[in-house]
Amino acid sequence: MDLKQFIRLLPKVELHVHLEGSVTPEFWLKLIKKHHPNGPCPTLEELMERFRFPDFQGFLEAFRDIVFSFHAPDDLYDLTRYFLAKAVKQNVKYCEVMFTPWFLVKRGIDFNEMMSEIDRAAKEIENESDIEMKLIFDGPRNFGNEAVREVFTMAMQDKTGRVIGVGIGGDEKTHPARLFPDEFDYARASGLHTIGHAGETDGVESMLDTIQLLKVSRIGHCLGIPESSKLEGIIFENNITLDLCPWSNVATGSIPSIEKHPFPDYLKRGYPITLNSDDPGIFNTNINKEFDIMLELYNLTAEQLAGICANAVSGSFLPDAKKKILSDDIKECVENYQS
């Protein structure tokens, strides 16, 4: 067995992936035809072109247009089955999936019906396969404090038991973390876990504020951590998990090339890093591809690959008993590879 085969056998946990971002051009076209059967319809090639954007703002605009293509609760049933079926093929055993219901509710989709459809699809896949999905509601920081608080309130009102936490995404330069500590305190007071996007399009201060002011357990993207810095010390001191999304950062122009991603430096420094696909449908990636790329670039060992998976288990919000089961499965996979 070579290491690429080993990657496919490794039990994986994905911590930074957006449900809406799992929409592929093919799924998007099907969705458009479903709701506009007799209207003008873009070609698949035109939709594929929408997934090529010049910068992060272009990505946000494409993401917005995808979200606006959803019109009914059962659209979310279709998407959840579509997403989880692909996750199963990647040997993902557990995923904490980000989702922003606010846009859909504002456009008239009933929140409880939508959540019921997501839960119905997830239960079907969970009954068919060895996978479990939880949700983290992502606050749209670009729309201000009120919108973020509304999303966090929706998380508290979930009746399915799927929602375990909240986070914040969007443009961290124009709407920095320091604007939202009250919203995060509000969420934690209700028992929700907290995470945040930081260091995707902004730098060290954004990451420091997200950790210190928002008091999150994980940060996503986290580009540009200086070695031996105050930020590095705080990451170690607070055991902050770093959810890396290398191909996403190339696709949105946050870094000029995959070789410029700080992954090898973070690995060498011993940071608690994980690998994730972020928006797999939009970026034409998946978690196995993320592992494959880093394997090819940096000649990783089985122990290093398994260590990244173990970091994801440790950084998840799973109960300790389930963490132990997954950790043992990862160790067994390594032992089988070496025997």
Side-chain angles (χ1 to χ4, degrees):
M1 182 184 1
D2 64 22
L3 283 171
K4 279 199 173 183
Q5 291 173 305
F6 174 69
I7 287 170
R8 276 137 190 81
L9 292 175
L10 267 172
K12 298 173 201 72
V13 167
E14 186 156 25
L15 300 179
H16 192 107
V17 58
H18 294 263
L19 185 61
E20 305 96 318
S22 65
V23 171
T24 59
E26 292 81 5
F27 185 94
W28 196 5
L29 182 60
K30 185 177 178 181
L31 190 62
I32 292 169
K33 287 181 176 179
K34 173 183 175 181
H35 292 293
H36 304 281
N38 301 314
C41 187
T43 65
L44 181 61
E45 290 71 24
E46 288 171 335
L47 294 182
M48 292 173 67
E49 188 62 32
R50 289 301 316 279
F51 286 6
R52 301 183 184 99
F53 13 80
D55 51 27
F56 186 72
Q57 184 58 39
F59 158 68
L60 290 179
E61 291 171 1
F63 194 92
R64 174 203 63 200
D65 291 347
I66 289 168
V67 171
F68 284 178
S69 299
F70 287 82
H71 294 279
D74 66 349
D75 293 342
L76 279 301
Y77 168 87
D78 295 337
L79 181 60
T80 303
R81 280 202 63 103
Y82 188 72
F83 164 76
L84 284 175
K86 288 177 175 288
V88 167
K89 291 181 180 179
Q90 307 304 313
N91 206 28
V92 173
K93 301 300 184 182
Y94 174 71
C95 49
E96 292 176 359
V97 181
M98 288 173 281
F99 175 53
T100 305
W102 187 79
F103 297 108
L104 303 180
V105 171
K106 288 295 180 183
R107 297 178 59 247
I109 300 178
D110 183 83
F111 173 73
N112 288 322
E113 291 181 15
M114 176 170 54
M115 290 302 300
S116 178
E117 289 297 283
I118 291 172
D119 185 53
R120 180 167 70 95
K123 283 178 177 173
E124 289 175 359
I125 298 293
E126 288 168 344
N127 289 334
E128 297 166 5
S129 308
D130 184 18
I131 192 170
E132 180 182 2
M133 182 187 83
K134 293 294 184 183
L135 292 172
I136 293 178
F137 280 3
D138 203 31
R141 69 203 309 162
N142 297 45
F143 293 83
N145 296 75
E146 184 177 346
V148 170
R149 184 171 286 258
E150 286 180 12
V151 170
F152 291 4
T153 299
M154 290 177 192
M156 299 171 197
Q157 295 171 342
D158 169 52
K159 298 177 181 178
T160 68
R162 292 276 165 194
V163 183
I164 58 170
V166 296
I168 192 169
D171 190 341
E172 60 190 303
K173 285 186 175 180
T174 60
H175 294 80
R178 64 177 179 271
L179 300 179
F180 302 97
D182 290 346
E183 285 69 34
F184 276 74
D185 288 344
Y186 168 69
R188 264 189 307 277
S190 74
L192 291 166
H193 298 288
T194 56
I195 65 171
H197 290 62
E200 182 177 16
T201 58
D202 209 356
V204 170
E205 289 304 316
S206 176
M207 288 183 272
L208 281 171
D209 285 349
T210 303
I211 295 169
Q212 294 182 300
L213 300 181
L214 305 188
K215 302 180 178 67
V216 300
S217 301
R218 300 198 307 259
I219 55 174
H221 297 288
C222 29
L223 302 171
I225 302 171
E227 189 172 11
S228 303
S229 62
K230 174 185 176 182
L231 174 58
E232 180 183 272
I234 287 172
I235 287 168
F236 282 130
E237 180 182 347
N238 294 279
N239 194 30
I240 302 297
T241 300
L242 308 180
D243 293 335
L244 307 184
C245 309
W247 195 250
S248 163
N249 299 142
V250 176
T252 62
S254 296
I255 55 174
S257 69
I258 196 68
E259 291 81 7
K260 296 296 185 181
H261 194 277
F263 170 86
D265 295 330
Y266 291 3
L267 184 68
K268 183 179 178 180
R269 297 176 200 170
Y271 295 171
I273 58 173
T274 72
L275 283 173
N276 309 271
S277 61
D278 194 15
D279 298 289
I282 296 175
F283 301 139
N284 190 27
T285 188
N286 57 59
I287 192 168
N288 279 352
K289 180 178 177 180
E290 301 292 331
F291 274 86
D292 284 348
I293 291 170
M294 294 303 130
L295 170 66
E296 292 170 5
L297 285 175
Y298 305 111
N299 195 28
L300 302 179
T301 65
E303 289 80 4
Q304 287 173 316
L305 294 165
I308 295 167
C309 288
N311 288 341
V313 174
S314 178
S316 76
F317 299 130
L318 276 168
D320 288 344
K322 289 188 176 182
K323 285 185 178 182
K324 185 179 187 310
I325 291 171
L326 275 173
S327 296
D328 289 346
D329 288 346
I330 292 169
K331 291 176 185 176
E332 183 180 356
C333 188
V334 175
E335 291 168 359
N336 290 339
Y337 173 75
Q338 293 174 336
S339 63

